[in-house]
Amino acid sequence: MDCIFCKIINGDIPSTKIAETERTYAFADLAPQAKVHALVVPKQHFANVAEVAQADPSLLAEMVSVAQDIAKTTYNGQYRLVFNSGEDAGQTVFHAHAHVLTGQKLEGE
């Protein structure tokens, strides 16, 4: 499989680890959109968040819990959590991942 996130999880591509559980890995986004911009990914490959939710809802809950922990550790527990699902929605890496944005007050759209 030629998935960049799978390669990061396996340690083939370096990353800045922020958190890790038995089933998830969180690392700093290379093009941050906020003071803190982490990606939380399942270690098992799923193409998008809907696949995670259908196959293993507890894994999706674990990803959200990791996001909450990152926000507590790096800011005041408040954060924006974004899942892009599909090319037209801005997904560029087709391995499910959550963007955790925090570290400063985030302006509304």
Side-chain angles (χ1 to χ4, degrees):
M1 181 176 287
D2 194 33
C3 172
I4 192 168
F5 287 174
C6 287
K7 290 177 181 178
I8 288 171
I9 292 162
N10 291 330
D12 299 330
I13 295 175
S15 65
T16 302
K17 180 169 83 169
I18 295 175
E20 185 172 13
T21 69
E22 185 177 314
R23 302 189 311 156
T24 68
Y25 184 73
F27 57 98
D29 192 294
L30 289 178
Q33 303 298 307
K35 188 173 181 182
V36 175
H37 186 166
L39 300 177
V40 180
V41 300
K43 289 182 178 178
Q44 181 179 352
H45 184 90
F46 294 95
N48 58 49
V49 66
E51 283 188 11
V52 177
Q54 185 173 31
D56 191 346
S58 68
L59 177 56
L60 181 56
E62 185 174 334
M63 292 173 67
V64 174
S65 179
V66 169
Q68 179 67 57
D69 291 344
I70 291 168
K72 283 181 186 176
T73 301
T74 61
Y75 194 50
N76 62 7
Q78 297 178 33
Y79 60 102
R80 181 177 293 165
L81 187 63
V82 177
F83 289 93
N84 298 328
S85 188
E87 188 175 348
D88 289 344
Q91 185 177 7
T92 58
V93 177
F94 294 90
H95 182 124
H97 58 284
H99 294 262
V100 182
L101 304 155
T102 191
Q104 64 200 48
K105 184 174 180 175
L106 300 172
E107 297 299 324
E109 317 252 323

